Amino acid sequence: MSAALEVKRSQGAGSGAQGLEPVDLPDVFQVDVVACVRDALGLLGATRRLRGVEVTVALPEEPVRARVSRRRLEQVLLLLVAHAADVAPPDAAAVRVEVEPPDDFGDEGPRFQVVMPGVSLSEREARSVALSPLLVGSPQRRLARARELVDAMGGELALEHGEEGLAVRVLLPAPGLASF
């Protein structure tokens, strides 16, 4: 059963009028990662989900194309930045979102990371995030769900502990050789 809605025009209606679009539109699989980051941060800001946590971005000037589901990519970004806002210590520096384009040869796909200053995970929590959202406590459930979505897109999610705090790196699928 389709959830699409079709509106038929009566004979007297003007020829320039258009009907409603179906609600079950196909997902977009050629997306700009930079635009997705901006859209996700705009949504989180508009809904006041960031709770006063500052988010800085490092985005390339050019679009960064990826062949993934736009909905899933935006969900991953929303989950990761919301998690960062929830676990950020009050005195921590700004959460940082960085986007990098794929390599020139198509061997490595586009990637982004969310850096959470002052945040860390125990070894047990990190292993649980890698296994299942059902095995982690509620603070890390968003990380585990984001990992599942990244896996479903064919990418990889990695947790890295650094001097600043926790960095969640997402590597999207490689686009392959596009220029040859």
Side-chain angles (χ1 to χ4, degrees):
M1 175 180 218
S2 175
L5 173 65
E6 187 177 325
V7 176
K8 297 197 181 211
R9 226 179 305 159
S10 66
Q11 296 231 341
S15 62
Q18 291 190 355
L20 297 175
E21 292 290 324
V23 294
D24 59 347
L25 293 172
D27 200 0
V28 177
F29 288 98
Q30 181 72 12
V31 299
D32 178 9
V33 179
V34 173
C36 286
V37 167
R38 287 188 180 122
D39 291 347
L41 292 177
L43 179 61
L44 289 169
T47 59
R48 298 184 182 152
R49 182 62 183 80
L50 296 175
R51 299 182 187 153
V53 173
E54 184 182 347
V55 178
T56 61
V57 293
L59 305 174
E61 296 289 326
E62 298 293 319
V64 175
R65 301 281 179 212
R67 290 186 182 141
V68 296
S69 164
R70 179 176 182 89
R71 285 186 293 214
R72 285 185 177 167
L73 180 58
E74 286 181 352
Q75 286 176 332
V76 168
L77 288 161
L78 291 170
L79 287 165
L80 293 178
V81 177
H83 174 76
D86 286 348
V87 298
D91 59 341
V95 171
R96 197 169 67 249
V97 179
E98 302 171 354
V99 176
E100 298 176 33
D103 71 340
D104 292 337
F105 299 104
D107 296 329
E108 204 172 296
R111 52 212 169 275
F112 65 90
Q113 71 176 356
V114 177
V115 180
M116 304 172 215
V119 177
S120 65
L121 289 179
S122 70
E123 185 64 34
R124 182 177 158 260
E125 290 170 323
R127 271 185 282 138
S128 296
V129 166
L131 294 175
S132 170
L134 301 174
L135 299 175
V136 296
S138 58
Q140 282 74 35
R141 195 160 286 140
R142 283 186 202 91
L143 289 177
R145 181 67 184 128
R147 189 216 27 96
E148 284 186 330
L149 288 168
V150 170
D151 285 351
M153 291 188 295
E156 298 173 19
L157 184 141
L159 304 173
E160 297 178 7
H161 296 280
E163 291 179 17
E164 295 180 59
L166 181 67
V168 180
R169 294 183 184 270
V170 175
L171 176 64
L172 298 171
L177 295 175
S179 61
F180 294 103

